[in-house]
Amino acid sequence: MAAATVQRVYDVGILLYPGADLLDFTAPHGVLSHVSYNNNPAAPDRVFSIRLIAAHEWITASDPVTVKRHISITDARKELENFDILIVPGGPAPAISGVVNANGPEYEFIKSFIHESRNEERILMSICSGAFILGATGVLAGKTVTTHTMALEGLRAICQKATKDFGGGQTKVMKARYVDGGVTKSGMRIITSGGIS
């Protein structure tokens, strides 16, 4: 008799910040929460374990909807090595600027995730204008990336500034639904998307 196969559960963190676009984090959450190994909706054997990460217990997203986090940024940082995937949603320009310009806890968390060494490949994914936050960290240097079609020039400018600040190659910003930018030297797969809808 063969031993039962243990299915891997991938740990996903969705990073929230004040003003994050509601659709940009609820859509990936909704899709990933329905993926199961056994295709049994009554008793799913889930592929992904998803946690909302935020600096504050309650986050007012866009539209305005208030959402309760699952885990604080401080606690998530303590178990950073456990996260296989980090999703960074987009938001309106003032919300993105609040994260990037303040070098806030969300920005620092992303940088920690990028630099956390691990033997397995990880995924860092942005939805829509969440690419601006990734671009500001310098992780998009030398990659091909995308964002919302109305924000391509803005992303290009942020990536050029980050290249000056952190070094790295020229970032190619293109109009696309999504772009798999490849794997960084540290084993981080970079995926950016043009938006949810």
Side-chain angles (χ1 to χ4, degrees):
M1 178 189 263
T5 304
V6 176
Q7 302 289 350
R8 175 160 182 199
V9 175
Y10 295 90
D11 289 315
V12 179
I14 300 177
L15 185 62
L16 300 183
Y17 51 89
D21 187 84
L22 185 64
L23 190 58
D24 284 4
F25 68 85
T26 58
H29 188 286
V31 169
L32 295 176
S33 68
H34 286 86
V35 179
S36 67
Y37 286 109
N38 62 2
N39 296 317
N40 181 354
D45 187 8
R46 299 207 189 279
V47 176
F48 300 101
S49 171
I50 307 160
R51 292 185 280 172
L52 302 177
I53 304 167
H56 305 287
E57 184 175 8
W58 293 94
I59 293 291
T60 301
S62 64
D63 300 327
V65 172
T66 302
V67 179
K68 186 175 182 182
R69 72 178 182 206
H70 294 122
I71 186 171
S72 70
I73 287 177
T74 302
D75 289 342
R77 188 175 264 166
K78 292 175 187 172
E79 54 180 274
L80 205 54
E81 71 280 354
N82 295 331
F83 289 99
D84 301 296
I85 302 168
L86 179 62
I87 298 173
V88 181
I96 297 291
S97 294
V99 172
V100 172
N101 294 337
N103 287 346
E106 301 88 359
Y107 178 85
E108 293 301 324
F109 182 78
I110 293 167
K111 287 181 73 170
S112 295
F113 184 80
I114 292 166
H115 297 295
E116 174 71 27
S117 61
R118 203 168 121 163
N119 293 330
E120 296 178 293
E121 184 178 296
R122 306 170 94 178
I123 296 173
L124 178 58
M125 179 179 185
S126 66
I127 308 295
C128 197
S129 59
F132 280 57
I133 301 171
L134 300 189
T137 68
V139 73
L140 301 182
K143 301 287 179 208
T144 299
V145 299
T146 194
T147 188
H148 190 282
T149 56
M150 295 176 65
L152 295 169
E153 289 305 316
L155 180 58
R156 195 170 282 115
I158 283 180
C159 290
Q160 287 173 351
K161 181 184 181 318
T163 298
K164 288 179 187 173
D165 293 346
F166 303 113
Q170 183 71 24
T171 303
K172 179 182 178 185
V173 179
M174 63 183 286
K175 180 179 176 180
R177 288 185 185 215
Y178 71 93
V179 174
D180 181 340
V183 180
T184 65
K185 291 177 185 175
S186 64
M188 178 82 57
R189 180 166 299 279
I190 306 296
I191 300 173
T192 55
S193 70
I196 290 295
S197 60

